[in-house]
């Protein structure tokens, strides 16, 4: 959602690489995506049981991974992104949604008035942008979820500072591609926009470099079954509700 992001993903080859290489079958990213899909579908069934199906607002939607995750569980979906090429790819690969191109800066984009309840997702964004854009994303979420009963927000942190990934922080200090956020920093960001975390779930203790090691994958699967290990996962989802304006 920075100008760099928009410039990079105006290149159709970069968009294709993101979709077909980064998220290739059995890749590190696709395995985490599969786990997130199971969790999110269960979350929506649980949170909105007895209600009308929610509307889905996906901010920084990219190629529509989060939108595809919730196919069949929402009454309609809206994807918002600065890159028209990413949204075109999302539609091409079968993401069913209304697409909305948003400006890189200026006033906070307004979500489509599609009613409540709603689920807002912000995936794979926080580490890729500066604090100004993080605040922009959360301000959008606050518009979409104006009060506690509006629905839920799910935010991804794919570089938890409390995970084994942090061991590489000193080596890569100052390198733009390497960023991390602690649970406390994510909680502070959410609180600044009137949200509180009601659930936290981790999806891998491994970094991508360990993904191809069979023993490491077995250890990761065992660790994820243990209570209290979510706080040490590399990739974490936070579910939040609006508590104050």
């Amino acid at each position: 959602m920075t100008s760099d992001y928009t410039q990079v993903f105006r290149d159709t080859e970069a968009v294709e690489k993101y979709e077909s290489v980064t998220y290739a079958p059995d890749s590190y990213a696709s395995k985490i995506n599969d786990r997130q899909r199971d969790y999110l579908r269960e979350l929506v069934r649980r949170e909105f049981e007895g209600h009308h199906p929610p509307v889905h607002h996906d901010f920084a939607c990219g190629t529509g991974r989060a939108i595809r995750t919730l196919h069949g569980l929402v009454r309609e979906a809206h994807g918002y992104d600065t890159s028209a090429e990413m949204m075109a790819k999302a539609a091409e690969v079968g993401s069913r949604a209304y697409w909305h191109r948003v400006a890189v800066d200026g006033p906070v984009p307004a979500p489509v008035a599609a009613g409540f309840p709603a689920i807002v997702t912000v995936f794979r964004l926080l580490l890729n942008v500066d604090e100004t854009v993080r605040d922009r994303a959360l301000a959008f979420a606050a518009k979409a979820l104006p009060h506690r009963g509006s629905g839920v927000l799910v935010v991804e942190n794919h570089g938890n500072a409390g995970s084994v990934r942090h061991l590489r922080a000193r080596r890569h200090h100052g390198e733009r591609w390497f960023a991390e956020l602690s649970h406390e920093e994510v909680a502070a960001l959410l609180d600044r926009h009137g949200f509180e975390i009601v659930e936290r779930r981790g999806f891998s203790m491994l970094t991508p470099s360990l993904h191809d090691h069979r023993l490491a994958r077995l250890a990761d699967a065992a660790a994820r079954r243990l209570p209290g290990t979510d706080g040490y996962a590399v990739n974490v989802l936070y579910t939040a509700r609006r508590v104050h304006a």
Side-chain angles (χ1 to χ4, degrees), residues 142 145-151 187 190-198 240-245:
L145 301 168
H147 53 80
R148 189 173 184 86
S150 301
L190 290 164
D191 178 71
R192 191 155 68 239
H193 294 275
F195 291 94
E196 68 171 358
I197 297 169
V198 296
R241 288 190 182 277
R242 192 76 186 276
V243 290
H244 59 84

Side-chain angles (χ1 to χ4, degrees), residues 13-25 27 89:
E13 289 186 8
V15 173
E16 181 61 35
K17 180 179 178 181
Y18 181 82
E19 180 63 23
S20 62
V21 178
T22 302
Y23 283 93
S27 67
K89 186 64 178 180

Side-chain angles (χ1 to χ4, degrees), residues 29-134:
S30 69
K31 287 295 185 182
I32 289 177
N33 185 60
D34 290 345
R35 295 167 194 164
Q36 290 178 338
R37 179 183 186 277
D38 292 342
Y39 169 71
L40 283 170
R41 292 183 71 83
E42 187 277 330
L43 172 72
V44 168
R45 292 187 182 103
R46 169 167 41 93
E47 287 291 333
F48 301 102
E49 183 180 7
H51 298 277
H52 293 300
V55 61
H56 183 191
H57 299 282
D58 187 25
F59 192 78
C61 63
T63 58
R65 286 186 305 114
I67 287 169
R68 295 194 297 276
T69 286
L70 295 181
H71 277 173
L73 294 181
V74 299
R75 66 180 184 272
E76 63 183 74
H78 296 269
Y80 307 79
D81 206 287
T82 60
S83 169
E85 290 77 9
M86 288 289 261
M87 290 186 289
K89 186 64 178 180
E92 179 187 322
V93 298
S95 306
R96 299 189 297 272
Y98 299 97
W99 307 107
H100 310 280
R101 189 173 182 183
V102 297
V104 173
D105 50 25
V108 174
V112 171
F116 303 106
I119 178 169
V120 178
T121 50
V122 182
F123 274 42
R124 213 170 177 87
L125 175 74
L126 299 188
L127 296 191
N128 299 334
V129 297
D130 60 26
E131 189 172 3
T132 300
V133 183
R134 291 173 192 157

Side-chain angles (χ1 to χ4, degrees), residues 131-214:
E131 189 172 3
T132 300
V133 183
R134 291 173 192 157
D135 280 318
R136 185 174 175 79
L138 269 293
F140 170 89
K143 285 187 173 185
L145 301 168
H147 53 80
R148 189 173 184 86
S150 301
V152 294
L153 165 66
V154 183
V155 175
E156 180 183 32
N157 174 10
H158 62 286
N160 169 26
S163 70
V164 67
R165 184 177 182 270
H166 179 68
L167 298 175
R168 302 166 62 193
R170 177 176 293 182
R171 184 193 316 170
H172 298 294
H173 178 72
E175 296 181 25
R176 184 173 180 180
W177 69 269
F178 187 91
E180 58 183 359
L181 287 170
S182 68
H183 299 310
E184 293 75 18
E185 287 172 316
V186 174
L189 172 65
L190 290 164
D191 178 71
R192 191 155 68 239
H193 294 275
F195 291 94
E196 68 171 358
I197 297 169
V198 296
E199 191 167 313
R200 184 179 72 189
R201 182 68 60 90
F203 294 91
S204 178
M205 304 293 175
L206 304 180
T207 59
S209 61
L210 295 171
H211 175 68
D212 292 331
H213 295 270
R214 182 174 179 273

